[in-house]
Amino acid sequence: MKKIAIISSAYYSNIWNGQGRHTYSIAYGLAKKGYDVTVYSYLPGEQKNVQNGQVMLVQLGVNDRAFNFDVIDQWNERVFQEMKNKNFDIIMLPHWHGWKAAQCYRVKKTTKVVGYIPSSHALNGFSYPLKSSELEKNVIALEEEYMRECDVLIAHVNLFGQKVAEHTNREIVILPNCYIEMSDKEHEEITKQEHSILVVGRLSKEKNVEMLIRSMALLPDVTLTITAPESSRYSFHSKLLNLAKH
């Protein structure tokens, strides 16, 4: 039985966001296929080890609730110390947060690292967006280091895979988030139905909702519904509303 370590700062039981839910889905999907899965996640405060069904969850934290670059480095060191004496066949990285722990582990062990391509990075085509802040530039630089560390990169859509393929010789696998196998007959039936797109979540810039709204002009027969919390944090809410009206 192959042993897989998943290093993710978020997991459904401690941080309920897109990354946490995604990590949870990966872990249980692999466990159901018979893999021995351990998730190394972040939790402010003391360490907690939980046997969560078929998945071992190791929650490692530092005494600081601010998840900044210093805390990320401390957390990576704790993850590495926890996993260095264990033998894993594969390390999976749903996000760049855990790449330094994977890098340290590979110095001692021969293992394959599989990572997901950051969508915002792929869309920018490995260049800084206009008016990037220093923080954004630092994140993009870290994402590039993270992707160089991976043996295999997973893209959610072909567009991301194609853009990243122009800049790296890594193996790239296209694996949609909601991949469903269906027969030709089922596919034919579903294409006859009316189509709609539902977006549920925060309207922060990295979600690329603006691009989706603009793309609707190419899909005249498709309706778009967006459900999101109101928040003064996102000053471009009014911009999106105006764009949707036109």
Side-chain angles (χ1 to χ4, degrees), residues 45-82:
E46 297 301 316
Q47 175 175 338
K48 290 184 181 179
N49 291 13
V50 182
Q51 185 68 45
N52 205 324
Q54 298 166 285
V55 176
M56 171 57 75
L57 174 62
V58 181
Q59 295 178 314
L60 299 164
V62 294
N63 294 319
D64 193 335
R65 287 190 170 273
F67 200 63
N68 53 36
F69 287 125
D70 289 337
V71 172
I72 290 172
D73 285 343
Q74 293 176 52
W75 173 67
N76 270 270
E77 177 60 25
R78 289 204 62 186
V79 170
F80 170 65
Q81 293 300 328
E82 182 70 21

Side-chain angles (χ1 to χ4, degrees), residues 1-231:
M1 179 190 299
K2 284 194 174 182
K3 293 188 174 183
I4 299 177
I6 301 175
I7 307 174
S8 174
S9 57
Y11 194 68
Y12 88 100
S13 60
N14 61 328
I15 302 177
W16 188 261
N17 59 10
Q19 185 190 336
R21 180 66 188 176
H22 186 215
T23 303
Y24 171 81
S25 299
I26 295 171
Y28 275 87
L30 290 169
K32 284 181 179 179
K33 289 184 177 293
Y35 293 100
D36 184 341
V37 180
T38 302
V39 176
Y40 293 93
S41 188
Y42 171 77
L43 183 72
E46 297 301 316
Q47 175 175 338
K48 290 184 181 179
N49 291 13
V50 182
Q51 185 68 45
N52 205 324
Q54 298 166 285
V55 176
M56 171 57 75
L57 174 62
V58 181
Q59 295 178 314
L60 299 164
V62 294
N63 294 319
D64 193 335
R65 287 190 170 273
F67 200 63
N68 53 36
F69 287 125
D70 289 337
V71 172
I72 290 172
D73 285 343
Q74 293 176 52
W75 173 67
N76 270 270
E77 177 60 25
R78 289 204 62 186
V79 170
F80 170 65
Q81 293 300 328
E82 182 70 21
M83 65 187 294
K84 68 180 182 180
N85 294 322
K86 298 178 175 63
N87 293 312
F88 293 104
D89 300 291
I90 298 170
I91 296 176
M92 294 197 72
L93 302 172
H95 196 276
W96 64 265
H97 287 163
W99 79 269
K100 288 187 178 180
Q103 185 183 51
C104 293
Y105 184 87
R106 293 225 312 184
V107 172
K108 295 179 173 292
K109 312 276 186 178
T110 301
T111 192
K112 180 170 282 191
V113 177
V114 178
Y116 281 78
I117 295 172
S119 58
S120 57
H121 197 124
L123 282 170
N124 294 328
F126 281 71
S127 62
Y128 299 131
L130 294 175
K131 300 181 181 179
S132 291
S133 66
E134 284 303 310
L135 175 61
E136 288 171 326
K137 290 180 179 179
N138 287 337
V139 169
I140 288 174
L142 283 168
E143 287 177 348
E144 289 183 1
E145 291 186 67
Y146 149 71
M147 286 189 283
R148 282 196 292 269
E149 185 64 29
C150 297
D151 300 296
V152 178
L153 290 168
I154 298 176
H156 296 312
V157 293
N158 276 314
L159 173 64
F160 298 166
Q162 290 167 0
K163 282 185 173 291
V164 172
E166 296 171 3
H167 301 272
T168 179
N169 60 357
R170 296 293 186 262
E171 179 185 350
I172 295 175
V173 176
I174 309 299
L175 185 63
N177 274 346
C178 302
Y179 176 72
I180 301 173
E181 290 188 10
M182 62 178 70
S183 66
D184 291 340
K185 184 177 180 180
E186 289 172 321
H187 185 269
E188 184 179 346
E189 286 297 318
I190 203 169
T191 55
K192 294 178 182 177
Q193 300 172 9
E194 293 185 4
H195 295 286
S196 60
I197 298 172
L198 172 64
V199 176
V200 180
R202 297 176 290 114
L203 294 183
S204 51
K205 289 184 179 180
E206 68 270 17
K207 303 300 182 184
N208 295 307
V209 177
E210 181 178 352
M211 180 182 68
L212 176 60
I213 293 173
R214 294 184 185 280
S215 300
M216 295 306 295
L218 303 174
L219 303 167
D221 299 323
V222 178
T223 59
L224 172 63
T225 303
I226 299 175
T227 303
E230 284 193 56
S231 173

